[in-house]
Amino acid sequence: METEAVSIPLHKIEKSDRSFIITAGRDNRELTRSIQQVGLVNLPYLVAGPSGDCYRIVCGCRRIQVLTELGWKEVTAKIFSNAPEEKTLFLFAFFDNLAHRQFNPVEKAHSVERLLHYFSQEEIIRSYLPLLGLHPTARTLADTISLAGLEDDIKYAVITGALQEKTAVRLAGLSAEERQSIFSLFCMVNLSASKQSEISEHCLDIACRDSLSISEILDDRAVQDVLQQDRMTGSQKGEQVRQVLRKKRFPRLTRREESFGTLKKRMHLPPNLVLSPPAFFEGAMYRMQISFETVEDVQAAADQVKKLAENPDLKKLLEG
Amino acid sequence: MQRFIPEKIFIEESAADLVAAKRVRERCSESSVEIITSAREFIRLSRQKAGAEGALQTGLLLCRNKGRFLEPCPGTKKPYRCCGYAILNSGTGCPLHCTYCVLQAYLNNPFITLYVNHEDMLEELEHFAHLYPDRIMRIGTGEYTDSLALEHLTDFTCSLLPFLRQHQGIVLELKTKTAFIDTLLELDHGGSVLVSWSLNAQEIAASEEHGAAPVHERLAAARSLINKGYRVGFHFDPLIYYPGWQEGYRQTVDLLADSIPPAAIAWISLGSLRFMPPLKNTSLQRFPHTKIYCQEFVSGHDGKMRYLQDIRLEMYTALVAWLRHYSNDIFIYYCMESPTVWKKTLGFAPSNAELQKLLDGRVSPRIAA
Ligand code: SF4
């Protein structure tokens, strides 16, 4: 494709046109420093708009943005000579970007969304998903597209890693209002990616089981009480909210855990004897762990275990 | 309930001239046909195109089974008990589309597929029967499909009968949720075929077993077969915990009691909903309105999600009491349950070998009802 280097006034570039733009959530600080020190090394690519009076960006949106911020009035850009098709221009931008950097999840989503204008799903799955480092399956395609439709603040959280991609895909299936409810919670507390995912799942399951909206679940008094605690850190609040929601999601399991805790407490076991229930109370096999350093420790522990065998609380515990 | 007729049949070139393939073609005269070179490659390309997960394929694939037809039921890990059933792999995929169907998560093939090299299958069965002449064996086709959902296209049971008649120790269990029994009514089965129905609460059958027959039709079909000398079985599996489950399952037990004489029942199994974790999302994508995954599931010793044991015990205790009230003589067993559950609800916990023996004893010697 033939291009010609031409000096273009920056105000003639349509900065809001994103037809060929894939870039999302990139930090411009290094680029700014580089332009300040050595000027523009790589020229942006532009194509004349329909009226011929303004230009659309094909490659180099960040460069144009930085130059504008730095107060430049003009830029030397490569202009495509005989207006190629949109598809050709998009592929030019796509492969140019692909050659220079790793796409973040949102950039992958934008690329796929755009590619769908020009290719069948089948072609994208076969030829383009592998180029983006994605599994060539219909499920991956659907998940990737779903990210493109998310609100900007959520996309940004995905790019920065504040929100796990898998959780974002799950949120994409909700109404905008429901999605914002969960996302606002994530902004108020500190949670690891896996805990975010767990909380989202709990909310969705509770909503489904009790026919409630996500907002109704999160507006619940117990959740709000935690969020309004001034003296708790974000992480402490996150953990507390997680516990509140877990209890709502698993009422019988948590009741069982609590009653185990109460009975165990009443048994007054010494610290070197640890009694544990079967995982999730599945089966009937309880465990007792003895820690010891000396023969006397073992004897003392054995006496304790003997006493425990006669404790009516142990029977109660085993009977569930 | 409608019988499955594919819009299109894909036939692997090397299977096109086999008797079973020709029979299916004849019975689907309206369906278009495409001959394909390799089923494996065809499946791979189709998966790429539509995705195996969630694709509701209306096509039927006829091909050769290049592996073994007979395999032990995968069962599950210890400590859960399994019944020692053998799977006769007649094909994969099912047109009934139950919300909870395990096939959604572990089959890589989006097509309903029938293995049409029945000659090879019979040869393998003969070989096995020759190796273990005295062994009692319960074999079944209901693991990777519904045993009767495609019978109208294949006459599969009929083609197995000569073999079954020669081998007294082998009993074929057909597991189904359909009422498609017409092909079985006139068969001279000699007690070699046992038909069993999966039963559920009627509202669950209606909302989660999409292409299946209503419960009363399943029971009417069982009754018709009993009149033709068949023994039958029932599987309350998967039991689903939902608000009103007591009423729902109680009604189904009452329907069972009203229509089936206990003496005709070889066994009744109980099992609660269980699934590998990825199934939930796959299923929710296909059936977003289902509520079956939002109850209290925990990870079992085999990695499968199961209801909290207290919930399972509550359901099983109720079901066992209702069934015992219907008849004290019915043989009840659990599918993939722990010794704890066995002991607490039935009072004993057999080993896998003991359970296998107990079930074998229910079908051998062959007795027609
Ligand atoms: S009948 Fe069985 S095989 Fe068929 S969809 Fe339902 S669960 Fe799956």
Side-chain angles (χ1 to χ4, degrees):
Chain A
M1 275 184 292
E2 273 185 36
T3 55
E4 194 185 343
V6 178
S7 179
I8 305 287
L10 279 170
H11 73 267
K12 289 204 164 187
I13 299 174
E14 282 185 5
K15 294 166 197 89
S16 58
D17 183 322
R18 302 199 58 88
S19 311
F20 310 114
I21 310 299
I22 291 161
T23 308
R26 297 273 165 184
D27 185 345
N28 285 344
R29 276 175 296 190
E30 267 187 34
L31 180 62
T32 307
R33 242 193 327 271
S34 146
I35 291 177
Q36 279 172 326
Q37 282 190 4
V38 297
L40 192 62
V41 180
N42 294 309
L43 303 187
Y45 284 82
L46 307 179
V47 64
S51 64
D53 195 34
C54 57
Y55 295 86
R56 300 163 76 196
I57 305 169
V58 178
C59 296
C61 74
R62 290 172 60 222
R63 279 164 277 170
I64 304 284
Q65 194 186 341
V66 169
L67 293 178
T68 310
E69 281 163 11
L70 290 174
W72 287 33
K73 298 289 174 233
E74 281 190 346
V75 61
T76 303
K78 291 191 174 174
I79 311 293
F80 288 96
S81 308
N82 31 20
E85 281 183 351
E86 296 244 330
K87 175 179 170 181
T88 315
L89 289 171
F90 177 75
L91 287 179
F92 183 91
F94 175 75
F95 283 106
D96 180 66
N97 277 295
L98 204 61
H100 289 108
R101 59 191 161 88
Q102 284 266 333
F103 286 6
N104 64 41
V106 175
E107 290 171 336
K108 289 178 187 179
H110 286 168
S111 307
V112 167
E113 192 194 31
R114 203 65 211 163
L115 285 163
L116 275 170
H117 286 81
Y118 311 119
F119 299 101
S120 67
Q121 292 203 3
E122 192 185 343
E123 175 74 13
I124 295 172
I125 292 169
R126 193 178 51 233
S127 309
Y128 289 92
L129 293 191
L131 284 177
L132 292 166
L134 299 171
H135 286 301
T137 65
R139 182 72 269 136
T140 313
L141 178 70
D143 287 352
T144 309
I145 297 166
S146 72
L147 286 182
L150 291 170
E151 294 75 16
D152 284 347
D153 50 352
I154 300 186
K155 280 186 194 165
Y156 187 71
V158 173
I159 294 168
T160 57
L163 184 68
Q164 210 188 26
E165 196 179 330
K166 207 177 97 193
T167 309
V169 169
R170 200 83 172 87
L171 297 186
L174 304 178
S175 69
E177 196 191 326
E178 304 270 77
R179 186 158 55 237
Q180 279 304 332
S181 298
I182 296 194
F183 186 63
S184 321
L185 170 73
F186 292 163
C187 296
M188 281 188 260
V189 299
N190 285 347
L191 287 163
S192 67
S194 65
K195 287 184 180 166
Q196 282 179 354
S197 163
E198 183 188 320
I199 283 188
S200 309
E201 285 300 317
H202 286 351
C203 286
L204 291 169
D205 287 337
I206 297 165
C208 166
R209 185 191 63 200
D210 300 345
S211 304
L212 292 172
S213 70
I214 305 278
S215 328
E216 282 171 311
I217 296 165
L218 297 179
D219 283 347
D220 182 273
R221 179 87 185 269
V223 176
Q224 289 304 318
D225 279 353
V226 174
L227 294 178
Q228 277 151 24
Q229 292 285 337
D230 291 337
R231 271 189 244 141
M232 278 189 189
T233 64
S235 307
Q236 287 167 330
K237 284 185 190 178
E239 188 48 34
Q240 288 275 322
V241 169
R242 187 172 85 97
Q243 291 304 337
V244 169
L245 291 172
R246 183 175 181 271
K247 194 168 176 175
K248 278 188 191 304
R249 173 67 184 90
F250 296 105
R252 289 179 72 153
L253 175 63
T254 46
R255 264 207 308 276
R256 193 75 201 270
E257 287 167 347
E258 281 164 10
S259 84
F260 171 77
T262 311
L263 288 173
K264 195 170 124 177
K265 217 170 178 181
R266 284 215 308 244
M267 291 173 192
H268 299 295
L269 296 176
N272 65 327
L273 278 190
V274 180
L275 177 65
S276 327
F280 302 114
F281 299 92
E282 177 70 18
M285 193 62 80
Y286 283 73
R287 269 168 207 276
M288 178 157 284
Q289 194 183 316
I290 304 174
S291 315
F292 58 90
E293 277 182 9
T294 63
V295 171
E296 288 73 29
D297 289 347
V298 177
Q299 254 154 12
D303 290 344
Q304 284 283 350
V305 172
K306 232 175 167 180
K307 251 203 236 156
L308 183 64
E310 285 149 19
N311 189 330
D313 281 337
L314 182 71
K315 204 167 167 227
K316 231 186 230 170
L317 190 142
L318 296 178
E319 280 166 0
Chain B
M1 113 175 246
Q2 283 214 328
R3 286 176 206 249
F4 173 75
I5 296 291
E7 275 172 21
K8 189 163 184 178
I9 305 176
F10 302 93
I11 309 179
E12 193 177 35
E13 212 169 27
S14 67
D17 289 330
L18 297 174
V19 178
K22 286 184 181 160
R23 185 179 304 138
V24 174
R25 275 182 80 161
E26 265 168 38
R27 296 188 181 177
C28 304
S29 51
E30 306 270 289
S31 313
S32 59
V33 173
E34 184 179 329
I35 304 289
I36 54 164
T37 324
S38 149
R40 206 180 153 147
E41 189 54 16
F42 177 68
I43 291 166
R44 195 185 66 78
L45 290 174
S46 304
R47 275 197 78 195
Q48 250 180 17
K49 207 161 152 183
E53 319 97 322
L56 295 176
Q57 291 290 346
T58 49
L60 175 68
L61 175 63
L62 305 181
C63 62
R64 283 176 179 274
N65 179 5
K66 295 184 176 117
R68 286 173 52 186
F69 279 92
L70 205 54
E71 51 184 276
C73 174
T76 199
K77 283 190 194 140
K78 274 187 172 176
Y80 305 106
R81 297 293 193 255
C82 298
C83 69
Y85 172 82
I87 296 167
L88 185 59
N89 196 354
S90 60
T92 59
C94 175
L96 301 192
H97 304 300
C98 302
T99 307
Y100 50 74
C101 182
V102 66
L103 300 179
Q104 302 168 95
Y106 74 62
L107 287 183
N108 291 327
N109 173 1
F111 293 96
I112 294 171
T113 301
L114 286 172
Y115 299 131
V116 284
N117 49 334
H118 291 174
E119 299 76 3
D120 297 336
M121 176 185 69
L122 287 169
E123 199 177 303
E124 188 183 321
L125 283 170
E126 285 290 359
H127 180 69
F128 188 87
H130 183 73
L131 280 181
Y132 307 100
D134 300 324
R135 186 162 160 193
I136 298 164
M137 199 165 58
R138 288 165 288 111
I139 60 175
T141 50
E143 190 69 16
Y144 303 130
T145 184
D146 180 286
S147 297
L148 293 180
L150 301 170
E151 184 76 14
H152 60 290
L153 305 180
T154 59
D155 283 350
F156 183 81
T157 311
C158 185
S159 51
L160 264 180
L161 265 189
F163 166 80
L164 292 171
R165 268 195 226 108
Q166 275 174 25
H167 300 281
Q168 288 294 312
I170 298 178
V171 170
L172 174 68
E173 181 180 5
L174 301 171
K175 288 190 188 176
T176 188
K177 291 189 184 96
T178 74
F180 300 152
I181 48 152
D182 41 348
T183 52
L184 305 182
L185 286 171
E186 301 312 324
L187 289 186
D188 175 17
H189 57 89
S192 62
V193 180
L194 184 146
V195 187
S196 64
W197 278 265
S198 167
L199 292 180
N200 223 308
Q202 293 177 89
E203 49 268 60
I204 294 295
S207 63
E208 315 296 345
E209 296 172 348
H210 305 277
V215 171
H216 67 273
E217 283 183 23
R218 297 180 209 178
L219 291 170
R223 177 86 223 185
S224 305
L225 285 187
I226 291 168
N227 292 339
K228 292 288 180 182
Y230 283 88
R231 293 199 87 193
V232 296
F234 295 97
H235 303 284
F236 280 87
D237 194 355
L239 291 171
I240 309 268
Y241 185 77
Y242 68 99
W245 66 267
Q246 289 99 329
E247 189 54 24
Y249 285 106
R250 175 80 218 222
Q251 277 174 5
T252 299
V253 173
D254 287 348
L255 281 178
L256 174 71
D258 288 346
S259 41
I260 307 294
I265 300 177
W267 49 63
I268 292 183
S269 79
L270 305 177
S272 62
L273 179 60
R274 55 205 174 274
F275 55 90
M276 289 308 283
L279 179 85
K280 180 178 171 185
N281 277 345
T282 308
S283 171
L284 281 173
Q285 265 144 18
R286 293 180 67 195
F287 308 105
H289 300 298
T290 184
K291 287 182 174 248
I292 65 171
Y293 300 108
C294 59
Q295 295 298 338
E296 288 190 65
F297 288 98
V298 294
S299 180
H301 297 298
D302 53 0
K304 284 184 185 150
M305 305 305 290
R306 288 177 155 73
Y307 293 120
L308 187 66
Q309 186 171 280
D310 291 354
I311 297 178
R312 299 191 334 259
L313 285 172
E314 186 186 336
M315 296 186 86
Y316 293 146
T317 306
L319 260 294
V320 169
W322 297 330
L323 289 168
R324 287 274 175 258
H325 181 73
Y326 156 41
S327 166
N328 245 329
D329 301 329
I330 289 174
F331 181 75
I332 299 174
Y333 73 97
Y334 287 110
C335 183
M336 298 187 200
E337 264 306 350
S338 65
T340 312
V341 164
W342 273 87
K343 268 188 224 145
K344 287 198 171 181
T345 57
L346 291 176
F348 73 114
S351 65
N352 282 348
E354 285 164 345
L355 176 58
Q356 184 168 346
K357 220 168 161 191
L358 284 169
L359 288 163
D360 290 346
R362 303 293 301 171
V363 291
S364 178
R366 285 179 184 172
I367 337 154

